[in-house]
């Protein structure tokens, strides 16, 4: 697909991507719209999208509820351009939201509960999902927002092989991206309440170990049986995309801090590159077994980076930050090859000092004991796109037209 838009031109100063074949990156972010006065979710996505669509094109679209907006990048080759494109889209959507009396919020769940049931977005597919899965939706008072990271692949078979190998490390990424401790007016006790709420949908969880023929058979069976409406509802934490040639990682909350999104994307790509460049061996795909992977995801959802996780190779419990360091070391060669190693080290140092998303939300609440302060802090950080802890060139205030290829 070809796009012509006002997207800022590619950076000439960002980190280079080395190697004969660099993996492309892309990110989808789901945001919540809340009323500026009440901080409750409000269904104003349609006018917000209408305002920015002439600029963003099909990079902005509705999500499941009318109180949500989704943006997605074009494929990029380096993290500098990824940061700049995401910053540009956040800035434009936040501006349109302000015109509609809203704040744009990047968090996994709604901090303040809605005053009335949320409205399902217009469109046949979402309406059919609402009719088929009423137990999942319950009182329609809970919207969840995730961040999905795409890495370019050569084939569906390659995407599945990578998903199999990356599965034990995904809880570590989930812990880094935990950003939903508050849910509808209360501290949930989790670092990522979104992970718990989203698991009510069919197929949400670690992907089964499959080759391409097994995947095709299972996907067809899930749809024919009526368990899923269509293949887009295969919500595994790692899956081959059905519409673009990518591996999609779907395990983290949407994060207000854009640097966290770029950190996660860099680590996802480096992990994929690591497994693509390593020669095959006879080690098991899941060294710790599927049961411990589920347990690792539960720990990541409960504690984020503030507690323990499970080592992907030994199955032992270790501090989450120890596992983050091991992920960084596991991917060091790939990060160096892409030019992202200094970036990742700076971002990890910044996160150790400033805290992850969940801890920063709770810190905002502790200052005065007001949920409105949590919302306002999220809105400020979501829209704070002109500053970065990573020394990347900020996007210009008036981007020049540039054709983009996707």
């Amino acid at each position: 697909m070809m796009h012509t838009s006002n997207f800022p031109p590619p950076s000439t100063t960002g980190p280079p991507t080395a190697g004969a074949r660099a993996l492309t990156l892309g990110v989808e972010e789901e945001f919540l719209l809340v009323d500026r006065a009440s901080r409750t979710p409000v269904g104003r996505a349609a006018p917000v999208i209408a305002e920015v669509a002439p600029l963003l094109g099909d990079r902005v679209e509705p999500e499941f509820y009318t109180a949500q907006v989704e943006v997605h990048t074009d494929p990029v080759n380096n993290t500098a351009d990824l940061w700049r494109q995401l910053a540009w889209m956040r800035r434009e959507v936040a501006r349109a939201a302000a015109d509609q009396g809203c704040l744009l919020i990047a968090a996994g769940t709604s901090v303040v509960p809605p005053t009335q049931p949320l409205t399902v977005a217009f469109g046949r597919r979402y309406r059919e999902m609402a009719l088929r899965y009423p137990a999942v939706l319950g009182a329609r008072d809970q919207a969840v927002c995730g961040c999905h990271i795409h890495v370019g692949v050569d084939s569906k078979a390659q995407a599945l092989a990578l998903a199999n190998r990356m599965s034990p490390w995904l809880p570590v990424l989930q812990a880094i991206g935990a950003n939903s401790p508050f849910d509808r007016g209360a501290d949930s006790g989790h670092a990522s309440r979104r992970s718990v709420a989203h698991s009510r949908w069919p197929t949400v969880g670690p992907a089964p170990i499959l080759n391409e023929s097994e995947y095709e058979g299972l996907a067809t069976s899930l749809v024919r049986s009526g368990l899923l409406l269509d293949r887009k509802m295969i919500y595994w934490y790692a899956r081959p995309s059905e519409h673009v040639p990518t591996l999609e990682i779907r395990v983290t909350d949407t994060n207000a801090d854009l640097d966290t999104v770029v950190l996660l994307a860099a680590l996802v790509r480096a992990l994929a590159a690591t497994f693509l460049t390593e020669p095959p061996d006879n080690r098991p795909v899941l060294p710790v077994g599927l049961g411990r992977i589920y347990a690792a995801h539960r720990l990541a959802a409960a504690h984020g980076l503030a507690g323990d996780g499970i080592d992907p190779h030994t199955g032992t419990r270790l501090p989450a930050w120890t596992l983050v360091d091991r992920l960084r070391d596991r991917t060091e060669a790939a990060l160096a090859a892409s030019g992202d190693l200094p970036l990742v080290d700076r971002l990890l140092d910044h996160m150790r000092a400033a805290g992850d998303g969940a801890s920063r939300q709770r810190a905002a609440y502790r200052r005065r004991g007001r949920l409105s302060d949590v919302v306002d802090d999220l809105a400020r950080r979501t829209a704070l796109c002109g500053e970065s802890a990573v020394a990347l060139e900020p996007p210009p205030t008036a981007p020049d037209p540039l054709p983009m290829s996707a």
Side-chain angles (χ1 to χ4, degrees), residues 21 23-24 149-170 173 207-212 237-240 245-249 267-278 285-286 293 330 334:
R21 179 181 179 275
L23 299 177
T24 57
I149 299 167
H150 290 256
V151 177
V153 294
D154 290 335
S155 64
K156 186 173 289 185
Q158 187 180 76
L160 289 163
L162 283 173
N164 294 342
R165 304 300 302 190
M166 292 169 68
S167 180
W169 287 103
L170 297 187
L173 297 170
I209 303 301
L210 301 170
N211 60 32
E212 187 173 9
Y237 292 153
R239 70 177 188 182
T246 65
L247 168 68
E248 182 181 3
I249 303 300
L267 288 171
V268 166
R269 178 168 67 172
L271 194 56
T274 297
F275 287 121
L276 282 177
T277 56
E278 289 181 347
V285 173
L286 299 181
I293 290 177
R330 184 75 174 86

Side-chain angles (χ1 to χ4, degrees), residues 83-161:
W83 185 88
R84 296 174 76 244
Q85 190 170 160
L86 288 168
W88 170 65
M89 292 190 293
R90 282 185 175 208
R91 184 178 62 239
E92 297 302 332
V93 178
R95 183 180 299 154
D99 290 343
Q100 300 299 323
C102 297
L103 300 172
L104 186 72
I105 301 298
T109 50
S110 171
V111 176
V112 177
T115 56
Q116 56 188 356
L118 298 171
T119 302
V120 177
F122 179 78
R124 178 179 177 183
R125 182 171 180 271
Y126 285 151
R127 297 298 172 91
E128 288 186 11
M129 289 172 65
L131 290 173
R132 187 175 294 192
Y133 307 98
V136 174
L137 302 184
R140 299 194 185 188
D141 62 345
Q142 184 181 50
V144 296
C145 297
C147 175
H148 307 154
I149 299 167
H150 290 256
V151 177
V153 294
D154 290 335
S155 64
K156 186 173 289 185
Q158 187 180 76
L160 289 163

Side-chain angles (χ1 to χ4, degrees), residues 57-389:
D58 62 4
R59 299 183 188 90
V60 60
E61 58 188 9
E63 240 301 308
F64 190 84
Y65 288 119
T66 59
Q68 295 175 283
V69 176
E70 179 181 310
V71 301
H72 55 88
T73 71
D74 292 328
V76 299
N77 292 313
N78 61 64
T79 46
D81 288 335
L82 180 70
W83 185 88
R84 296 174 76 244
Q85 190 170 160
L86 288 168
W88 170 65
M89 292 190 293
R90 282 185 175 208
R91 184 178 62 239
E92 297 302 332
V93 178
R95 183 180 299 154
D99 290 343
Q100 300 299 323
C102 297
L103 300 172
L104 186 72
I105 301 298
T109 50
S110 171
V111 176
V112 177
T115 56
Q116 56 188 356
L118 298 171
T119 302
V120 177
F122 179 78
R124 178 179 177 183
R125 182 171 180 271
Y126 285 151
R127 297 298 172 91
E128 288 186 11
M129 289 172 65
L131 290 173
R132 187 175 294 192
Y133 307 98
V136 174
L137 302 184
R140 299 194 185 188
D141 62 345
Q142 184 181 50
V144 296
C145 297
C147 175
H148 307 154
I149 299 167
H150 290 256
V151 177
V153 294
D154 290 335
S155 64
K156 186 173 289 185
Q158 187 180 76
L160 289 163
L162 283 173
N164 294 342
R165 304 300 302 190
M166 292 169 68
S167 180
W169 287 103
L170 297 187
V172 183
L173 297 170
Q174 181 184 5
I176 293 172
N179 185 42
S180 51
F182 294 96
D183 181 29
R184 295 166 294 173
D187 190 322
S188 68
H190 284 78
S192 175
R193 182 62 184 177
R194 180 204 65 89
S195 298
V196 179
H198 196 225
S199 67
R200 295 197 299 261
W201 287 94
T203 73
V204 172
I209 303 301
L210 301 170
N211 60 32
E212 187 173 9
S213 63
E214 292 167 339
Y215 170 84
E216 291 295 334
L218 179 56
T220 299
S221 175
L222 289 170
V223 176
R224 285 180 177 173
S225 70
L227 180 65
L228 303 183
L229 181 66
D230 52 35
R231 287 190 176 207
K232 291 181 180 179
M233 283 192 65
I234 296 176
Y235 291 149
W236 297 329
Y237 292 153
R239 70 177 188 182
S241 172
E242 288 288 339
H243 64 284
V244 289
T246 65
L247 168 68
E248 182 181 3
I249 303 300
R250 304 171 48 86
V251 76
T252 74
D253 296 346
T254 298
N255 267 263
D257 295 293
L258 187 52
D259 288 342
T260 301
V261 181
V262 176
L263 170 64
L264 288 164
L267 288 171
V268 166
R269 178 168 67 172
L271 194 56
T274 297
F275 287 121
L276 282 177
T277 56
E278 289 181 347
D281 54 36
N282 295 322
R283 289 178 294 180
V285 173
L286 299 181
V288 299
L290 191 58
R292 288 193 177 179
I293 290 177
Y294 271 100
H297 281 293
R298 289 194 294 270
L299 286 172
H303 305 299
L305 294 176
D308 287 347
I310 294 179
D311 185 273
H313 295 293
T314 66
T316 57
R317 286 181 65 143
L318 292 171
W321 269 109
T322 299
L323 298 177
V324 172
D325 291 337
R326 291 189 178 185
L327 173 59
R328 181 265 184 211
D329 292 345
R330 184 75 174 86
T331 59
E332 181 175 6
L335 289 169
S338 68
D340 286 335
L341 185 58
L343 167 77
V344 165
D345 284 344
R346 288 197 300 272
L347 287 175
L348 289 175
D349 287 344
H350 176 71
M351 183 172 283
R352 289 180 204 273
D356 58 9
S359 65
R360 294 186 72 170
Q361 284 196 45
R362 287 180 168 132
Y365 180 76
R366 284 196 299 270
R367 284 193 281 271
R368 295 195 301 174
R370 296 180 181 180
L371 292 173
S372 59
D373 287 350
V374 180
V375 176
D376 293 347
D377 183 65
L378 285 167
R380 179 187 61 82
R381 290 189 285 117
T382 300
L384 192 64
C385 302
E387 300 179 15
S388 171

